[in-house]
Amino acid sequence: MITAIYPGTFDPITLGHMDVIRRISRLYEKVVVSVVMNIEKKPLFDIEERVELIRKAVRDLQNVEVSCSIELLSDFVRNYENPVIVKGLRNLVDYEYETTMAVFNKKLNPDLETFFITADQKYTYVSSTAVRQLALYGSDLSEYVPADVAEAVAKKIEYWRGTE
Amino acid sequence: MITAIYPGTFDPITLGHMDVIRRISRLYEKVVVSVVMNIEKKPLFDIEERVELIRKAVRDLQNVEVSCSIELLSDFVRNYENPVIVKGLRNLVDYEYETTMAVFNKKLNPDLETFFITADQKYTYVSSTAVRQLALYGSDLSEYVPADVAEAVAKKIEYWRGTE
Amino acid sequence: MITAIYPGTFDPITLGHMDVIRRISRLYEKVVVSVVMNIEKKPLFDIEERVELIRKAVRDLQNVEVSCSIELLSDFVRNYENPVIVKGLRNLVDYEYETTMAVFNKKLNPDLETFFITADQKYTYVSSTAVRQLALYGSDLSEYVPADVAEAVAKKIEYWRGTE
Amino acid sequence: MITAIYPGTFDPITLGHMDVIRRISRLYEKVVVSVVMNIEKKPLFDIEERVELIRKAVRDLQNVEVSCSIELLSDFVRNYENPVIVKGLRNLVDYEYETTMAVFNKKLNPDLETFFITADQKYTYVSSTAVRQLALYGSDLSEYVPADVAEAVAKKIEYWRGTE
Amino acid sequence: MITAIYPGTFDPITLGHMDVIRRISRLYEKVVVSVVMNIEKKPLFDIEERVELIRKAVRDLQNVEVSCSIELLSDFVRNYENPVIVKGLRNLVDYEYETTMAVFNKKLNPDLETFFITADQKYTYVSSTAVRQLALYGSDLSEYVPADVAEAVAKKIEYWRGTE
Amino acid sequence: MITAIYPGTFDPITLGHMDVIRRISRLYEKVVVSVVMNIEKKPLFDIEERVELIRKAVRDLQNVEVSCSIELLSDFVRNYENPVIVKGLRNLVDYEYETTMAVFNKKLNPDLETFFITADQKYTYVSSTAVRQLALYGSDLSEYVPADVAEAVAKKIEYWRGTE
């Protein structure tokens, strides 16, 4: 059995991510969505909240589990049987960054392959960054994120405004 | 069972292709190397010769078979169980071309996913085109193609020179 | 009044081209679809046939006319009032090529600006090249070209086969 | 009448921006230079100062007006008659970013087209970022920004130094 | 002493090439402009004509010599003392192609380095291909190629027309 | 004599940088590794520490010296005889950024050329950023940086942790 590891910051998970998860869940017996830390930016949601939102979003996909990793990805994957990393590519900048990471991870763990799939055209303009910006303007998020996430983002923004 | 379809013109198969085949043969139960026609260029080897050279090159890989296709790729894959296309990416130009083809194939066959893997750094400069050019200068091909292919290329060039 | 000149080889016109024409016909008082020669390749349709197919395709758009040019584009546009060139961009390779052409045309004709619009995502994989390849395999072309064009392509391929 | 909306952060406006404004002011009856907020970075000039500097810079162009927007751009443009967005492209990174924004804006406002023009070669290396860096080193800015802006930048840097 | 080898097809040499040659002739004691064959395309000028045109164009540059190579470039350079290859980059497509060639040449000759310089902005749109196309339309070539070359191109086109 | 100036932030110097330094030290009589400030980011090492670490790393290369610059690079180079800037390119994003900087520097100092060399394939995934991230996870750095640097990074991280 191969385990597909789908890593990302998912701050928050979008319908673009969901499309990738659904597509790879049909092609691998087990998929692990793995939330990784991004040291450089203050996140909208903390790591446990992000895991929780993804769990809700993937609850109907039997072979998908969600976890978070505080190790290097190349070490984290060793917890799984025959792991491969799977990443979605939306554009050229993604391609440049992700292929460098793939070489880097293979250097650290020579058996570790990274497979890429192209984001569906409907979702190339959907990013967590875009979602956070739309949320600041109070825009409707229903075409960008799962319903539970839209609600959680709205609450989080409201909470932040209350504490300013 | 998923069948990984690895399509290409393979005129001739290189060590870069062999590296991709070996890597995907460890991650899929069955791999089909599929020689496709390239209508626009006169090939060095005809399609049967190319199939034969690949068969020799992959004879030690139990789960790899070789075939050729005269249909559209999106139709050809229907001959296999749960097919996915796998392609190697060497550079940006590959990326642009192959992601367009992936969208195109998915349009023609909505269940058909294309996965990409990055060529090993050792092989980014190895292409069938480079091999054909080196051959014209009589260069040693042993670092670019399997031994049987090096021999076949030399013979083919000699034959062409004889008939000019 | 500004005249939008939309140049291309259009061999044949696709639904992607049609989408661009429709969008610019709403934003300019006059649009001239201009068929240019491509010296390097043998076309599927000769230049008069291409003009004819485009004329049929745009017959409902009042402010769109069709012509062909045997001059340099930078000279051809001088036949029109306040001309600007408009081109669609599907991807990075288009971008590199077309921005070089824009600089080139401005050098030859300093008042001549080129505006670009991004192809609709539905059409990024639709190209005249793809249409010609699909036609060789006898595929249904109705999602790629206007109905009249699909018919003309089928006839042309049949005619070519008859003369081989 | 079409209104060309030219959005940007303009912190500060450069001679590259001025070249784009001048070129589009010849091709559209009305041009609106629209200063948008950039939430992520602390600006050199606040939004009112930027509007003021642009107003001075464009005072000789009769059909150009300047405004600022605190809404999403796709909503802001609804204040104008037949709006189209016009953006300058200096390089590939601009292209990737701006074409994604164009798709995004069209999604939020389906009638809203974005047209791109290529920056003049003389200005491809001129950016607001470069101007801010040169200013820190006390370099002469006269080839990068309008004279009023050069003076305002020098004063601003002096003021900052005084308050440190 | 380092010898800068500047290889290309130069069919014909342009003012963009001349700019690169002049710039590197100030930084290296010896520059060798090396005309290489391009097997795939029928050239406008044969290899001896191209060498001759370059010789005339560089006659005022004391440390520049011109030669042609029928070997692989990585072998040809062995005729010179401490050779380095120098190439001009006009755009992204050049970058992708030339960096692959640099790796390839270093593989064949591990001491052989390739240095790149960016084409002057004035010349990014000047290519031998553009010159050949302009010539077919009878355009003035004086801003694209040295005067002797402009004349030679005009004669060559006239000769071709006479023989058709 | 030409002086090759190799500028960078070097926070810290990596084996990729060392490879470039070694290669250019064989082709230029004098190489100056020049540490420049990066105003925007808090560095891991301050500028004097970085100079010191590079000095240790290059101590066996007779014609290499190390300095730091608080001026604009285009002014700093005037301290040296016949300066040229040399930069390594790892990928497309480097290419876009560095060619813009080359044009910018030439604008400020018209005699100043920038030469690029391609990073060795072994080092394309090695960056100072990657080193800093690996260090945070306590990973072994010996394949990324010189031994002295690995030690200094470990001490620095330990010190930071002690002061939190």
Side-chain angles (χ1 to χ4, degrees), chain A residues 48-86:
Chain A
E48 290 75 20
E49 290 172 316
R50 284 181 261 160
V51 167
E52 202 48 46
L53 287 171
I54 303 170
R55 282 214 176 108
K56 277 188 199 162
V58 303
R59 70 196 152 215
D60 295 337
L61 299 167
Q62 304 304 324
N63 61 336
V64 177
E65 64 179 60
V66 186
S67 70
C68 66
S69 161
I70 56 163
E71 300 161 275
L72 273 179
L73 187 60
S74 53
D75 289 328
F76 172 75
V77 299
R78 294 185 205 274
N79 300 315
Y80 297 92
E81 193 184 338
N82 296 321
V84 298
I85 296 174
V86 179

Side-chain angles (χ1 to χ4, degrees), chain E residues 2 23-24 26-28 84 86 89-92 95 99 102-103 106 113-118 121, chain F residues 2 23-24 26-28 84 86 89-92 95 99 102-103 106 113-118 121:
Chain E
I2 304 289
R23 286 157 67 196
I24 63 183
R26 286 196 291 261
L27 294 167
Y28 289 96
V84 298
V86 179
L89 297 178
R90 281 171 310 175
N91 55 35
L92 183 71
Y95 166 76
T99 54
V103 173
K106 197 167 187 185
E113 298 289 351
T114 301
F115 282 78
F116 301 103
I117 63 174
T118 303
Q121 296 169 294
Chain F
I2 304 289
R23 287 158 65 195
I24 63 183
R26 285 196 290 262
L27 294 168
Y28 289 96
V84 297
V86 180
L89 298 177
R90 280 171 310 175
N91 56 36
L92 182 71
Y95 166 76
T99 53
V103 173
K106 197 167 187 184
E113 298 288 351
T114 301
F115 282 78
F116 301 103
I117 63 172
T118 304
Q121 298 169 295

Side-chain angles (χ1 to χ4, degrees), chain E residues 121-141:
Chain E
Q121 296 169 294
K122 279 204 303 289
Y123 299 115
T124 45
Y125 64 92
V126 175
S127 67
S128 298
T129 305
V131 166
R132 292 193 303 266
Q133 293 193 337
L134 285 169
L136 286 172
Y137 288 107
S139 300
D140 173 29
L141 300 179

Side-chain angles (χ1 to χ4, degrees), chain B residues 71-87:
Chain B
E71 300 160 272
L72 273 179
L73 187 59
S74 52
D75 289 328
F76 172 74
V77 300
R78 295 184 204 273
N79 300 315
Y80 298 92
E81 192 185 340
N82 296 322
V84 296
I85 296 174
V86 179
K87 293 288 294 181

Side-chain angles (χ1 to χ4, degrees), chain E residues 20-81:
Chain E
V20 170
I21 293 170
R22 225 171 257 122
R23 286 157 67 196
I24 63 183
S25 76
R26 286 196 291 261
L27 294 167
Y28 289 96
E29 284 169 272
K30 185 175 177 178
V31 174
V32 178
V33 181
S34 171
V35 181
V36 298
M37 297 185 294
N38 183 337
I39 293 159
E40 285 164 37
K41 288 197 224 154
K42 182 179 179 329
L44 182 63
F45 293 101
D46 66 37
I47 216 163
E48 289 75 19
E49 291 171 316
R50 284 181 262 160
V51 167
E52 204 46 51
L53 288 170
I54 302 171
R55 282 215 175 107
K56 276 188 198 163
V58 303
R59 70 197 152 213
D60 295 335
L61 299 167
Q62 305 303 325
N63 61 338
V64 176
E65 64 177 64
V66 185
S67 70
C68 66
S69 161
I70 56 163
E71 299 160 276
L72 272 180
L73 187 60
S74 53
D75 290 327
F76 172 75
V77 299
R78 294 184 205 274
N79 300 316
Y80 298 92
E81 193 185 339

